[in-house]
Amino acid sequence: TFGSSVRSTHDNVEMDLWVENGTSETLTGLRTQICVMLKGAVGFNDQTDGNKVLQSPVAAAESESGDRWILTAWERCPRPWGNPAVPCMHADPILPDCPPGQTVKVRGRLWFYEGADIEHEVKRGQDLFPAVSAGT
């Protein structure tokens, strides 16, 4: 069984993704795909990766005006990526191995930033969710 939760706060959106193992075998290699669809986000929906900053575990998209950003990050995300043909950005976590009868989860965040210091915002995401290797 799997599920998710989304909670808004005063300055971001907190997210959880979980898997409950109802089998008799350990579940391993639980890769996910978490897409932030930018098509309806006016000023962010150019079909390009040229407006993206992708530094594990953070994916960020810059507005056409260059002063606003949408960012997302997930714990256990080894490789964020963009898909200019859609347009979207991904921060795809890998869930921990899940023994029989157990539940595992990962946490994520979506937030907005207005300003020029995107490196600081990316660092905030990296501090919240330290980088992991793709084999994790």
Side-chain angles (χ1 to χ4, degrees), residues 18 49 75 90 120:
W18 56 268
D49 272 348
E75 64 185 349
H90 287 253
H120 179 262

Side-chain angles (χ1 to χ4, degrees), residues 60-73:
E62 182 181 26
S63 68
E64 290 173 359
S65 62
D67 62 347
R68 296 179 299 136
W69 293 82
I70 299 173
L71 300 97
T72 190

